[in-house]
Amino acid sequence: MQKKVYIDLDGVIADFDRGRREHPMANITPYKGRPDKLPGLFKDLEPIEGAIEGVNKLLDAIHFDVYFLSTAPWDNPEAWTHKRLWIDKYFETKKIKKRLILCHHKQLLIGDFLIDDREFNGASEFTGEWLEFGSERFPDWSAVLNYLNA
């Protein structure tokens, strides 16, 4: 039986922090302190080290059913499209087609694992197991893959 795995985008696969720091409008009002509203931010984020390879291993594994689960800022509707285009840029379309879920309440989804870097938007209340990416236990993609494949 396949295990259902949800993977957050920002901070887990896409380097949101770097994108926020390097964005030319990051310190301009009304974006200062609200990086999720930065125009075009989500379109060109760099991948986190090991993320593309790690996700591809999960996508290729027959015992995992993988979905991307991300929250898109309500006040930045272009981000919704940019997240979709971002995964298409880094992953084969046949592997990821119709596997992106944008949701502000991650606890409502049913699955075995959620890989997410933040407890917000329902991640900490997820009914399966929340793997806190970037934590001491799951600092990188190698640790996540070792755990899931154990």
Side-chain angles (χ1 to χ4, degrees):
M1 183 171 174
Q2 288 186 312
K3 299 281 187 178
K4 192 169 305 256
V5 179
Y6 297 104
I7 307 171
D8 182 39
L9 293 178
D10 308 315
V12 176
I13 303 173
D15 196 340
F16 179 83
D17 288 336
R18 179 179 174 189
R20 173 187 51 82
R21 284 191 312 271
E22 295 178 358
H23 196 285
M25 300 173 78
N27 292 312
I28 298 171
T29 303
Y31 308 114
K32 190 173 185 173
R34 287 301 312 267
D36 55 331
K37 289 186 174 188
L38 286 165
L41 174 68
F42 297 94
K43 180 176 64 170
D44 297 318
L45 295 176
E46 294 293 323
I48 288 179
E49 183 178 339
I52 304 304
E53 298 83 4
V55 172
N56 275 319
K57 286 180 181 177
L58 294 176
L59 288 167
D60 291 337
I62 60 171
H63 51 284
F64 293 120
D65 184 20
V66 178
Y67 294 86
F68 299 93
L69 176 58
S70 187
T71 300
W74 195 258
D75 297 331
N76 185 358
E78 76 173 2
W80 298 56
T81 299
H82 290 165
K83 287 175 180 259
R84 158 58 180 87
L85 295 172
W86 193 92
I87 64 168
D88 201 44
K89 178 178 179 180
Y90 288 101
F91 299 99
E92 290 180 44
T93 302
K94 69 179 183 176
K95 291 181 183 181
I96 59 149
K97 187 174 183 180
K98 298 185 180 182
R99 292 192 169 270
L100 172 62
I101 301 167
L102 298 174
C103 180
H104 289 90
H105 303 280
K106 296 178 180 181
Q107 78 279 8
L108 298 177
L109 281 91
I110 299 168
D112 299 289
F113 301 101
L114 168 62
I115 306 166
D116 202 322
D117 63 319
R118 299 173 2 131
E119 64 183 296
F120 306 110
N121 300 311
S124 64
E125 292 97 39
F126 180 70
T127 55
E129 187 173 355
W130 169 39
L131 309 185
E132 186 179 3
F133 188 83
S135 66
E136 188 174 315
R137 186 171 181 202
F138 301 106
D140 54 28
W141 271 96
S142 179
V144 169
L145 291 174
N146 286 340
Y147 181 78
L148 289 175
N149 288 313

